[in-house]
mmCIF file of all heavy atoms in Angstrom:
data_model
loop_
_atom_site.group_PDB
_atom_site.id
_atom_site.type_symbol
_atom_site.label_atom_id
_atom_site.label_comp_id
_atom_site.label_asym_id
_atom_site.label_seq_id
_atom_site.Cartn_x
_atom_site.Cartn_y
_atom_site.Cartn_z
ATOM 1 N N MET A 1 7.199 -2.952 9.672
ATOM 2 C CA MET A 1 8.550 -2.970 10.219
ATOM 3 C C MET A 1 9.512 -3.285 9.070
ATOM 4 O O MET A 1 9.600 -4.429 8.635
ATOM 5 C CB MET A 1 8.673 -4.025 11.322
ATOM 6 C CG MET A 1 7.747 -3.803 12.493
ATOM 7 S SD MET A 1 8.235 -2.428 13.527
ATOM 8 C CE MET A 1 9.278 -3.275 14.669
ATOM 9 N N TYR A 2 10.216 -2.269 8.592
ATOM 10 C CA TYR A 2 11.138 -2.443 7.474
ATOM 11 C C TYR A 2 12.572 -2.094 7.863
ATOM 12 O O TYR A 2 13.492 -2.758 7.470
ATOM 13 C CB TYR A 2 10.717 -1.577 6.275
ATOM 14 C CG TYR A 2 9.341 -1.893 5.782
ATOM 15 C CD1 TYR A 2 8.248 -1.112 6.149
ATOM 16 C CD2 TYR A 2 9.123 -2.972 4.935
ATOM 17 C CE1 TYR A 2 6.981 -1.410 5.692
ATOM 18 C CE2 TYR A 2 7.854 -3.275 4.472
ATOM 19 C CZ TYR A 2 6.790 -2.485 4.854
ATOM 20 O OH TYR A 2 5.530 -2.784 4.401
ATOM 21 N N PHE A 3 12.735 -0.998 8.596
ATOM 22 C CA PHE A 3 14.054 -0.502 8.981
ATOM 23 C C PHE A 3 15.019 -0.664 7.800
ATOM 24 O O PHE A 3 16.041 -1.327 7.888
ATOM 25 C CB PHE A 3 14.579 -1.220 10.231
ATOM 26 C CG PHE A 3 13.764 -0.930 11.454
ATOM 27 C CD1 PHE A 3 12.878 -1.871 11.956
ATOM 28 C CD2 PHE A 3 13.875 0.286 12.111
ATOM 29 C CE1 PHE A 3 12.120 -1.608 13.088
ATOM 30 C CE2 PHE A 3 13.129 0.556 13.245
ATOM 31 C CZ PHE A 3 12.245 -0.392 13.734
ATOM 32 N N ALA A 4 14.679 -0.040 6.704
ATOM 33 C CA ALA A 4 15.394 -0.199 5.431
ATOM 34 C C ALA A 4 16.596 0.727 5.328
ATOM 35 O O ALA A 4 16.601 1.681 4.551
ATOM 36 C CB ALA A 4 14.425 0.026 4.269
ATOM 37 N N SER A 5 17.603 0.433 6.089
ATOM 38 C CA SER A 5 18.829 1.238 6.022
ATOM 39 C C SER A 5 19.417 1.226 4.620
ATOM 40 O O SER A 5 19.982 2.229 4.173
ATOM 41 C CB SER A 5 19.861 0.737 7.023
ATOM 42 O OG SER A 5 19.446 1.008 8.335
ATOM 43 N N ASP A 6 19.289 0.092 3.910
ATOM 44 C CA ASP A 6 19.822 0.016 2.556
ATOM 45 C C ASP A 6 19.139 1.019 1.626
ATOM 46 O O ASP A 6 19.779 1.576 0.732
ATOM 47 C CB ASP A 6 19.747 -1.400 1.995
ATOM 48 C CG ASP A 6 18.380 -2.061 2.113
ATOM 49 O OD1 ASP A 6 17.457 -1.478 2.726
ATOM 50 O OD2 ASP A 6 18.236 -3.185 1.596
ATOM 51 N N GLU A 7 17.871 1.293 1.836
ATOM 52 C CA GLU A 7 17.174 2.310 1.040
ATOM 53 C C GLU A 7 17.476 3.717 1.569
ATOM 54 O O GLU A 7 17.620 4.656 0.798
ATOM 55 C CB GLU A 7 15.668 2.055 1.029
ATOM 56 C CG GLU A 7 15.275 0.778 0.302
ATOM 57 C CD GLU A 7 15.724 0.766 -1.152
ATOM 58 O OE1 GLU A 7 15.592 1.803 -1.843
ATOM 59 O OE2 GLU A 7 16.216 -0.290 -1.606
ATOM 60 N N ASN A 8 17.572 3.842 2.871
ATOM 61 C CA ASN A 8 17.820 5.157 3.476
ATOM 62 C C ASN A 8 19.176 5.728 3.085
ATOM 63 O O ASN A 8 19.290 6.915 2.785
ATOM 64 C CB ASN A 8 17.699 5.073 4.998
ATOM 65 C CG ASN A 8 16.299 4.768 5.452
ATOM 66 O OD1 ASN A 8 15.330 5.028 4.744
ATOM 67 N ND2 ASN A 8 16.168 4.197 6.636
ATOM 68 N N VAL A 9 20.228 4.890 3.103
ATOM 69 C CA VAL A 9 21.566 5.414 2.802
ATOM 70 C C VAL A 9 21.706 5.848 1.349
ATOM 71 O O VAL A 9 22.597 6.638 1.033
ATOM 72 C CB VAL A 9 22.694 4.420 3.175
ATOM 73 C CG1 VAL A 9 22.679 4.118 4.671
ATOM 74 C CG2 VAL A 9 22.633 3.146 2.348
ATOM 75 N N LYS A 10 20.807 5.401 0.497
ATOM 76 C CA LYS A 10 20.864 5.804 -0.910
ATOM 77 C C LYS A 10 20.537 7.275 -1.104
ATOM 78 O O LYS A 10 20.903 7.865 -2.123
ATOM 79 C CB LYS A 10 19.888 4.965 -1.746
ATOM 80 C CG LYS A 10 20.315 3.532 -1.936
ATOM 81 C CD LYS A 10 19.257 2.778 -2.736
ATOM 82 C CE LYS A 10 19.601 1.323 -2.882
ATOM 83 N NZ LYS A 10 18.537 0.588 -3.612
ATOM 84 N N VAL A 11 19.829 7.873 -0.139
ATOM 85 C CA VAL A 11 19.446 9.276 -0.288
ATOM 86 C C VAL A 11 20.163 10.197 0.703
ATOM 87 O O VAL A 11 20.043 11.413 0.601
ATOM 88 C CB VAL A 11 17.909 9.461 -0.164
ATOM 89 C CG1 VAL A 11 17.194 8.715 -1.265
ATOM 90 C CG2 VAL A 11 17.407 9.032 1.187
ATOM 91 N N LEU A 12 20.895 9.644 1.644
ATOM 92 C CA LEU A 12 21.612 10.482 2.600
ATOM 93 C C LEU A 12 22.798 11.157 1.934
ATOM 94 O O LEU A 12 23.346 10.657 0.956
ATOM 95 C CB LEU A 12 22.103 9.656 3.796
ATOM 96 C CG LEU A 12 21.036 9.036 4.686
ATOM 97 C CD1 LEU A 12 21.699 8.278 5.847
ATOM 98 C CD2 LEU A 12 20.082 10.089 5.219
ATOM 99 N N ALA A 13 23.198 12.286 2.479
ATOM 100 C CA ALA A 13 24.372 12.998 1.981
ATOM 101 C C ALA A 13 25.356 13.306 3.109
ATOM 102 O O ALA A 13 26.471 13.738 2.851
ATOM 103 C CB ALA A 13 23.937 14.298 1.294
ATOM 104 N N CYS A 14 24.949 13.083 4.347
ATOM 105 C CA CYS A 14 25.804 13.386 5.497
ATOM 106 C C CYS A 14 26.915 12.346 5.623
ATOM 107 O O CYS A 14 26.802 11.238 5.083
ATOM 108 C CB CYS A 14 24.975 13.413 6.777
ATOM 109 S SG CYS A 14 24.240 11.824 7.209
ATOM 110 N N PRO A 15 27.998 12.670 6.326
ATOM 111 C CA PRO A 15 29.038 11.673 6.564
ATOM 112 C C PRO A 15 28.449 10.434 7.252
ATOM 113 O O PRO A 15 27.615 10.555 8.148
ATOM 114 C CB PRO A 15 30.019 12.400 7.476
ATOM 115 C CG PRO A 15 29.832 13.847 7.134
ATOM 116 C CD PRO A 15 28.357 13.983 6.866
ATOM 117 N N LEU A 16 28.886 9.261 6.798
ATOM 118 C CA LEU A 16 28.366 7.990 7.279
ATOM 119 C C LEU A 16 29.530 7.073 7.646
ATOM 120 O O LEU A 16 30.373 6.781 6.802
ATOM 121 C CB LEU A 16 27.501 7.334 6.201
ATOM 122 C CG LEU A 16 26.962 5.939 6.479
ATOM 123 C CD1 LEU A 16 25.948 5.956 7.625
ATOM 124 C CD2 LEU A 16 26.324 5.357 5.225
ATOM 125 N N LEU A 17 29.553 6.646 8.898
ATOM 126 C CA LEU A 17 30.582 5.720 9.386
ATOM 127 C C LEU A 17 29.905 4.423 9.792
ATOM 128 O O LEU A 17 28.967 4.429 10.590
ATOM 129 C CB LEU A 17 31.317 6.328 10.589
ATOM 130 C CG LEU A 17 32.330 5.433 11.303
ATOM 131 C CD1 LEU A 17 33.462 5.006 10.374
ATOM 132 C CD2 LEU A 17 32.883 6.160 12.537
ATOM 133 N N ILE A 18 30.392 3.319 9.246
ATOM 134 C CA ILE A 18 29.860 1.996 9.571
ATOM 135 C C ILE A 18 30.942 1.217 10.314
ATOM 136 O O ILE A 18 32.071 1.111 9.835
ATOM 137 C CB ILE A 18 29.403 1.253 8.299
ATOM 138 C CG1 ILE A 18 28.274 2.035 7.620
ATOM 139 C CG2 ILE A 18 28.981 -0.172 8.634
ATOM 140 C CD1 ILE A 18 27.840 1.475 6.276
ATOM 141 N N LEU A 19 30.573 0.694 11.481
ATOM 142 C CA LEU A 19 31.486 -0.075 12.324
ATOM 143 C C LEU A 19 30.948 -1.499 12.455
ATOM 144 O O LEU A 19 29.758 -1.679 12.758
ATOM 145 C CB LEU A 19 31.570 0.547 13.721
ATOM 146 C CG LEU A 19 31.872 2.038 13.807
ATOM 147 C CD1 LEU A 19 31.645 2.550 15.225
ATOM 148 C CD2 LEU A 19 33.300 2.317 13.362
ATOM 149 N N HIS A 20 31.809 -2.496 12.246
ATOM 150 C CA HIS A 20 31.349 -3.868 12.399
ATOM 151 C C HIS A 20 32.503 -4.743 12.862
ATOM 152 O O HIS A 20 33.616 -4.611 12.362
ATOM 153 C CB HIS A 20 30.801 -4.417 11.083
ATOM 154 C CG HIS A 20 29.599 -5.272 11.257
ATOM 155 N ND1 HIS A 20 28.391 -4.990 10.684
ATOM 156 C CD2 HIS A 20 29.394 -6.392 11.969
ATOM 157 C CE1 HIS A 20 27.496 -5.896 11.016
ATOM 158 N NE2 HIS A 20 28.090 -6.775 11.808
ATOM 159 N N ALA A 21 32.231 -5.622 13.805
ATOM 160 C CA ALA A 21 33.227 -6.580 14.279
ATOM 161 C C ALA A 21 33.144 -7.837 13.432
ATOM 162 O O ALA A 21 32.050 -8.316 13.117
ATOM 163 C CB ALA A 21 32.991 -6.910 15.749
ATOM 164 N N GLU A 22 34.288 -8.383 13.075
ATOM 165 C CA GLU A 22 34.323 -9.595 12.253
ATOM 166 C C GLU A 22 33.735 -10.802 12.976
ATOM 167 O O GLU A 22 33.319 -11.758 12.337
ATOM 168 C CB GLU A 22 35.756 -9.892 11.802
ATOM 169 C CG GLU A 22 36.294 -8.914 10.781
ATOM 170 C CD GLU A 22 35.545 -8.926 9.453
ATOM 171 O OE1 GLU A 22 35.001 -9.978 9.068
ATOM 172 O OE2 GLU A 22 35.490 -7.869 8.801
ATOM 173 N N ASP A 23 33.691 -10.744 14.308
ATOM 174 C CA ASP A 23 33.159 -11.884 15.075
ATOM 175 C C ASP A 23 31.746 -11.625 15.594
ATOM 176 O O ASP A 23 31.316 -12.229 16.566
ATOM 177 C CB ASP A 23 34.097 -12.239 16.233
ATOM 178 C CG ASP A 23 34.272 -11.113 17.233
ATOM 179 O OD1 ASP A 23 34.122 -9.933 16.855
ATOM 180 O OD2 ASP A 23 34.579 -11.401 18.403
ATOM 181 N N ASP A 24 31.011 -10.764 14.912
ATOM 182 C CA ASP A 24 29.632 -10.483 15.293
ATOM 183 C C ASP A 24 28.782 -11.712 14.959
ATOM 184 O O ASP A 24 28.579 -12.037 13.793
ATOM 185 C CB ASP A 24 29.113 -9.251 14.545
ATOM 186 C CG ASP A 24 27.760 -8.763 15.019
ATOM 187 O OD1 ASP A 24 26.959 -9.592 15.501
ATOM 188 O OD2 ASP A 24 27.502 -7.556 14.897
ATOM 189 N N ALA A 25 28.280 -12.378 15.975
ATOM 190 C CA ALA A 25 27.490 -13.594 15.778
ATOM 191 C C ALA A 25 25.990 -13.301 15.687
ATOM 192 O O ALA A 25 25.203 -14.198 15.414
ATOM 193 C CB ALA A 25 27.754 -14.578 16.919
ATOM 194 N N VAL A 26 25.584 -12.062 15.925
ATOM 195 C CA VAL A 26 24.164 -11.701 15.857
ATOM 196 C C VAL A 26 23.820 -11.173 14.467
ATOM 197 O O VAL A 26 22.876 -11.645 13.831
ATOM 198 C CB VAL A 26 23.800 -10.664 16.947
ATOM 199 C CG1 VAL A 26 22.351 -10.233 16.825
ATOM 200 C CG2 VAL A 26 24.082 -11.239 18.331
ATOM 201 N N LEU A 27 24.546 -10.185 14.013
ATOM 202 C CA LEU A 27 24.362 -9.636 12.669
ATOM 203 C C LEU A 27 25.675 -9.804 11.914
ATOM 204 O O LEU A 27 26.656 -9.126 12.218
ATOM 205 C CB LEU A 27 23.962 -8.161 12.733
ATOM 206 C CG LEU A 27 22.569 -7.902 13.299
ATOM 207 C CD1 LEU A 27 22.348 -6.428 13.587
ATOM 208 C CD2 LEU A 27 21.501 -8.427 12.356
ATOM 209 N N PRO A 28 25.721 -10.724 10.978
ATOM 210 C CA PRO A 28 26.977 -11.035 10.291
ATOM 211 C C PRO A 28 27.607 -9.807 9.634
ATOM 212 O O PRO A 28 26.891 -8.937 9.117
ATOM 213 C CB PRO A 28 26.563 -12.054 9.231
ATOM 214 C CG PRO A 28 25.209 -12.532 9.604
ATOM 215 C CD PRO A 28 24.590 -11.480 10.458
ATOM 216 N N PRO A 29 28.920 -9.731 9.660
ATOM 217 C CA PRO A 29 29.612 -8.577 9.080
ATOM 218 C C PRO A 29 29.317 -8.359 7.595
ATOM 219 O O PRO A 29 29.406 -7.235 7.132
ATOM 220 C CB PRO A 29 31.094 -8.883 9.286
ATOM 221 C CG PRO A 29 31.180 -10.055 10.170
ATOM 222 C CD PRO A 29 29.839 -10.680 10.290
ATOM 223 N N HIS A 30 28.917 -9.415 6.884
ATOM 224 C CA HIS A 30 28.621 -9.200 5.458
ATOM 225 C C HIS A 30 27.426 -8.267 5.270
ATOM 226 O O HIS A 30 27.325 -7.596 4.240
ATOM 227 C CB HIS A 30 28.433 -10.527 4.704
ATOM 228 C CG HIS A 30 27.114 -11.169 4.869
ATOM 229 N ND1 HIS A 30 26.848 -12.094 5.854
ATOM 230 C CD2 HIS A 30 25.959 -11.022 4.177
ATOM 231 C CE1 HIS A 30 25.592 -12.493 5.752
ATOM 232 N NE2 HIS A 30 25.030 -11.859 4.743
ATOM 233 N N LEU A 31 26.539 -8.168 6.261
ATOM 234 C CA LEU A 31 25.419 -7.215 6.161
ATOM 235 C C LEU A 31 25.941 -5.780 6.268
ATOM 236 O O LEU A 31 25.460 -4.880 5.567
ATOM 237 C CB LEU A 31 24.370 -7.492 7.232
ATOM 238 C CG LEU A 31 23.613 -8.811 7.115
ATOM 239 C CD1 LEU A 31 22.614 -8.964 8.265
ATOM 240 C CD2 LEU A 31 22.903 -8.925 5.777
ATOM 241 N N GLY A 32 26.913 -5.557 7.141
ATOM 242 C CA GLY A 32 27.541 -4.230 7.252
ATOM 243 C C GLY A 32 28.280 -3.856 5.983
ATOM 244 O O GLY A 32 28.207 -2.715 5.516
ATOM 245 N N ARG A 33 29.005 -4.832 5.419
ATOM 246 C CA ARG A 33 29.723 -4.583 4.162
ATOM 247 C C ARG A 33 28.754 -4.263 3.023
ATOM 248 O O ARG A 33 29.009 -3.376 2.218
ATOM 249 C CB ARG A 33 30.561 -5.805 3.780
ATOM 250 C CG ARG A 33 31.862 -5.890 4.502
ATOM 251 C CD ARG A 33 32.761 -6.973 3.898
ATOM 252 N NE ARG A 33 33.753 -7.322 4.881
ATOM 253 C CZ ARG A 33 33.618 -8.286 5.797
ATOM 254 N NH1 ARG A 33 32.527 -9.024 5.827
ATOM 255 N NH2 ARG A 33 34.565 -8.518 6.669
ATOM 256 N N LYS A 34 27.666 -5.013 2.977
ATOM 257 C CA LYS A 34 26.661 -4.788 1.929
ATOM 258 C C LYS A 34 26.051 -3.393 2.056
ATOM 259 O O LYS A 34 25.861 -2.687 1.055
ATOM 260 C CB LYS A 34 25.584 -5.869 2.018
ATOM 261 C CG LYS A 34 24.590 -5.861 0.899
ATOM 262 C CD LYS A 34 23.639 -7.051 1.011
ATOM 263 C CE LYS A 34 22.593 -7.046 -0.072
ATOM 264 N NZ LYS A 34 21.669 -8.185 0.055
ATOM 265 N N LEU A 35 25.773 -2.978 3.290
ATOM 266 C CA LEU A 35 25.235 -1.635 3.520
ATOM 267 C C LEU A 35 26.249 -0.571 3.099
ATOM 268 O O LEU A 35 25.896 0.429 2.468
ATOM 269 C CB LEU A 35 24.847 -1.466 4.992
ATOM 270 C CG LEU A 35 24.185 -0.158 5.358
ATOM 271 C CD1 LEU A 35 22.865 0.029 4.610
ATOM 272 C CD2 LEU A 35 23.945 -0.088 6.860
ATOM 273 N N PHE A 36 27.515 -0.793 3.436
ATOM 274 C CA PHE A 36 28.581 0.130 3.038
ATOM 275 C C PHE A 36 28.639 0.254 1.515
ATOM 276 O O PHE A 36 28.708 1.374 0.979
ATOM 277 C CB PHE A 36 29.927 -0.346 3.591
ATOM 278 C CG PHE A 36 31.106 0.356 2.982
ATOM 279 C CD1 PHE A 36 31.383 1.672 3.296
ATOM 280 C CD2 PHE A 36 31.939 -0.304 2.097
ATOM 281 C CE1 PHE A 36 32.473 2.330 2.729
ATOM 282 C CE2 PHE A 36 33.020 0.331 1.532
ATOM 283 C CZ PHE A 36 33.297 1.654 1.837
#
């Protein structure tokens, strides 16, 4: 179980939209920013 989006987005070429709420208490927004 890796679900390595950080590795996957490195090879994608399609349009990519990342949405994150600043008050996300489950997955902190800094993870979305890091992925972006």
Side-chain angles (χ1 to χ4, degrees):
M1 300 287 270
Y2 301 99
F3 294 104
S5 291
D6 51 355
E7 294 301 318
N8 294 336
V9 299
K10 288 178 183 178
V11 298
L12 295 181
C14 64
L16 175 67
L17 174 61
I18 298 174
L19 308 169
H20 219 120
E22 290 296 331
D23 61 333
D24 188 331
V26 177
L27 292 169
H30 80 269
L31 294 179
R33 279 191 200 90
K34 187 175 178 181
L35 184 62
F36 167 72

